[in-house]
């Protein structure tokens, strides 16, 4: 028998979403007539933009002709896509990211996990609480933490609490941390980091030689003009930050799969003996050895999001979800709940009524309103007393779900 990676055994019992699915299945089995509305999922519901479909159809046809057929592409992505990203997502916002600092991939979830490949084992790693569970679990799997305690928190990780008091943007760490995960707009709280807040984090990272892993998967949902979409809009960030971006939530590519990671050439790490090493070189090596590129067809689809028609159509998709978020925010506020987020993000972070535990409120809404939300406690101990409502749904479902929740509070 082979030895296993025992770090997997440290993972605290049950991933959040399977547990939600189990409870919903159980409820549906006992109440087959109930029409359950899922307001818990972090997956898009609306079809792809026509510009993307058209570009992918054309690419499929190219693959069917000898003269235009393509085999392996560059591991880092085709230049046409990397250049479109550099121009539209960075140059247009005054952030100097060059095309060869962009690594196209099949998802930000994998990139967030894979980045640990090029980092050493001695780093002090900070995560926010509540947190996107992938950041924590991948550190556990890589053996970078101790076991979980009674609250499900792992030894060796620094938890930065995001609470109503600090507007769900954590304070700077009080001690040295080497790697920091930040997500803005945030999943699950829907909070965004302002320019002064980001400047403070970049200043901390530069002073302490820390690396910020900045997840901007929801940047397209930012409506407030003053909020940066990229950490590279902050001076000096290219020396201390890696940014993850994805077409999943911005263009509905959750099932199509395309994302990218920016690793600036100015980024440095060090060896145990104190030698300085270029992180861009290491990530290039990892990417070319362990990855063979995203499908040509999909990259053409992603490129189409930057055409005039593509921009307009994806903007309409985002506006649909943001209008849902506004309905959720408004309905739950009128119903007397305290609601955060939902203006620059597709998530509303809602305080449970009467101090209910998040799983109890989840069960109450499922049992009485037949509406599924996500219990905040599943994102970390600071998420206790909150639930997350997702705006990824049809308009009709959102309206119906909000009506039922208001009646059954
Ligand atoms: C959805 C999501 C992503 C995107 O993941 P993909 O693998 O690109 O689909 C990244 N980060 C967060 C926080 C997310 O919620």
């Amino acid at each position: 028998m082979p030895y296993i990676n025992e770090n997997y055994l440290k993972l605290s019992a049950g991933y959040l979403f399977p547990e939600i699915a189990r409870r919903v299945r159980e409820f549906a089995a006992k109440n087959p007539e109930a029409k359950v509305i899922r307001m818990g999922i972090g997956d898009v519901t609306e079809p792809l933009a026509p510009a993307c479909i058209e570009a992918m159809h054309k690419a499929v046809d190219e693959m069917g002709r000898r003269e235009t057929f393509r085999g392996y592409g560059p591991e880092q992505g085709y230049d046409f896509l990397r250049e479109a990203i550099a121009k539209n997502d960075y140059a247009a916002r005054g952030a100097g990211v060059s095309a060869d600092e962009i690594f196209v991939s099949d998802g930000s979830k994998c990139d967030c996990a894979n980045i640990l490949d090029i980092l050493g084992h001695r780093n002090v790693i900070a995560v926010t609480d509540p947190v996107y569970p992938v950041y924590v679990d991948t550190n556990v799997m890589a053996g970078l933490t101790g076991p979980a305690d009674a609250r499900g928190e792992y030894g060796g990780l620094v938890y930065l609490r995001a609470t109503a008091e600090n507007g769900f943007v954590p304070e700077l760490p009080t001690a040295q941390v080497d790697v920091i995960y930040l997500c803005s707009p945030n999943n699950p709280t829907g909070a965004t980091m302002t320019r002064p807040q980001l400047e403070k984090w970049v200043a901390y990272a530069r002073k302490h030689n820390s690396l910020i892993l900045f997840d901007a998967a929801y940047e397209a949902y930012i409506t407030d003009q003053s909020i940066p979409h990229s950490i590279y809009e902050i001076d000096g960030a290219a020396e201390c930050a890696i940014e993850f971006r994805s077409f999943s939530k911005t263009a509905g590519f959750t099932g199509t799969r395309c994302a990218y990671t920016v690793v600036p050439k100015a980024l440095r790490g060090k060896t145990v003996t104190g030698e300085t090493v270029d992180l861009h070189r290491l990530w290039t090596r990892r990417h070319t050895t362990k990855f063979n590129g995203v499908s040509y067809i999909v990259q053409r689809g992603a490129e189409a999001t930057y055409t005039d028609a593509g921009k307009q159509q994806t903007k309409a998709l985002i506006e649909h979800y943001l209008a849902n978020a506004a309905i959720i925010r408004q309905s739950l506020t009128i119903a007397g709940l305290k609601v955060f987020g939902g203006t620059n993000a597709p998530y509303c972070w809602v305080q449970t009524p009467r101090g209910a535990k998040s799983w109890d409120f989840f069960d109450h809404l499922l049992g009485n309103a037949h509406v599924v939300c996500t219990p905040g406690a599943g994102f970390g101990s600071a998420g206790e007393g909150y639930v997350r409502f997702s705006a990824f749904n049809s308009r009709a479902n959102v309206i119906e779900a909000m009506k039922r929740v208001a009646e059954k509070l």
Side-chain angles (χ1 to χ4, degrees):
M1 264 191 277
Y3 294 107
I4 58 144
N5 177 351
E6 294 187 25
N7 296 311
Y8 279 63
L9 306 181
K10 288 188 216 160
L11 294 166
S12 20
Y15 184 55
L16 174 62
F17 293 98
E19 176 59 20
I20 293 172
R22 192 191 63 77
R23 292 192 192 203
V24 174
R25 254 195 328 272
E26 205 172 272
F27 173 82
K30 283 192 201 139
N31 303 275
E33 76 296 344
K35 189 182 165 285
V36 174
I37 302 180
R38 287 157 209 272
M39 301 290 289
I41 17 166
D43 193 2
V44 297
T45 54
E46 305 307 297
L48 292 176
C52 298
I53 294 299
E54 199 183 305
M56 287 195 280
H57 277 163
K58 185 162 162 267
V60 168
D61 290 339
E62 284 178 54
M63 294 301 254
R65 287 194 307 271
R66 177 169 301 278
E67 312 77 61
T68 49
F69 168 78
R70 308 218 184 194
Y72 288 126
E75 292 93 340
Q76 299 92 328
Y78 282 102
D79 285 341
F80 62 76
L81 179 57
R82 298 169 91 196
E83 278 157 17
I85 292 168
K87 176 167 168 258
N88 293 281
D89 287 342
Y90 294 105
R93 295 198 170 273
V97 169
S98 64
D100 59 357
E101 295 174 312
I102 295 163
F103 296 79
V104 176
S105 78
D106 59 351
S108 276
K109 192 197 228 182
C110 354
D111 286 349
C112 290
N114 290 334
I115 203 70
L116 294 175
D117 250 23
I118 65 162
L119 299 175
H121 285 227
R122 297 190 176 203
N123 295 314
V124 176
I125 292 172
V127 293
T128 62
D129 171 25
V131 67
Y132 179 52
V134 174
Y135 310 149
V136 172
D137 290 358
T138 53
N139 273 281
V140 176
M141 290 169 173
L144 303 177
T145 73
D149 65 14
R151 301 164 88 187
E153 293 185 355
Y154 294 92
L157 288 185
V158 174
Y159 289 84
L160 306 169
R161 313 291 170 187
T163 61
E165 287 70 48
N166 58 29
F168 301 100
V169 176
E171 309 296 337
L172 294 175
T174 46
Q176 167 77 28
V177 304
D178 305 306
V179 179
I180 308 155
Y181 289 84
L182 293 177
C183 177
S184 175
N186 192 269
N187 178 9
T189 66
T192 45
M193 296 176 75
T194 63
R195 178 174 290 275
Q197 285 167 337
L198 277 173
E199 281 169 355
K200 218 170 63 171
W201 280 91
V202 168
Y204 171 93
R206 297 188 68 189
K207 177 157 171 240
H208 293 81
N209 288 315
S210 328
L211 173 66
I212 295 174
L213 299 176
F214 191 75
D215 186 341
Y218 296 96
E219 61 78 28
Y221 292 82
I222 294 173
T223 52
D224 181 334
Q225 300 280 335
S226 71
I227 294 172
H229 288 235
S230 164
I231 195 159
Y232 304 119
E233 291 176 51
I234 309 300
D235 281 343
E239 282 135 53
C240 64
I242 285 173
E243 181 164 287
F244 303 107
R245 291 260 191 127
S246 174
F247 294 92
S248 283
K249 316 301 172 14
T250 59
F253 272 47
T254 52
T256 309
R257 309 307 303 145
C258 196
Y260 61 89
T261 289
V262 179
V263 183
K265 286 187 230 146
L267 266 187
R268 299 285 178 273
K270 65 174 184 228
T271 65
V272 171
T273 52
E275 249 177 289
T276 299
V277 179
D278 176 357
L279 289 183
H280 183 274
R281 180 164 67 88
L282 296 190
W283 186 248
T284 303
R285 184 60 210 240
R286 198 220 79 96
H287 213 70
T288 51
T289 299
K290 295 197 178 181
F291 189 60
N292 247 337
V294 173
S295 140
Y296 170 69
I297 298 158
V298 169
Q299 289 190 64
R300 282 295 187 199
E303 181 195 25
T305 63
Y306 298 109
T307 60
D308 287 341
K311 279 181 189 168
Q312 199 197 325
Q313 292 159 6
T314 50
K315 188 162 168 275
L317 280 176
I318 306 280
E319 279 167 359
H320 165 79
Y321 295 126
L322 280 172
N324 283 349
I327 293 169
I328 297 169
R329 206 185 144 90
Q330 198 184 12
S331 315
L332 297 181
T333 304
I334 291 171
L337 296 177
K338 205 156 180 142
V339 184
F340 303 92
T343 48
N344 294 293
Y347 298 118
C348 290
W349 188 240
V350 181
Q351 202 168 51
T352 60
R354 300 172 291 276
K357 297 267 187 210
S358 13
W359 277 108
D360 291 342
F361 188 54
F362 168 91
D363 287 333
H364 173 84
L365 287 185
L366 175 60
N368 295 282
H370 310 164
V371 168
V372 181
C373 61
T374 313
F379 298 102
S381 49
E384 184 54 276
Y386 290 89
V387 294
R388 188 192 75 177
F389 279 88
S390 155
F392 294 126
N393 225 317
S394 67
R395 184 62 40 81
N397 272 352
V398 170
I399 291 171
E400 170 68 16
M402 289 303 110
K403 185 167 145 274
R404 288 195 212 158
V405 170
E407 284 167 5
K408 304 287 180 178
L409 269 185

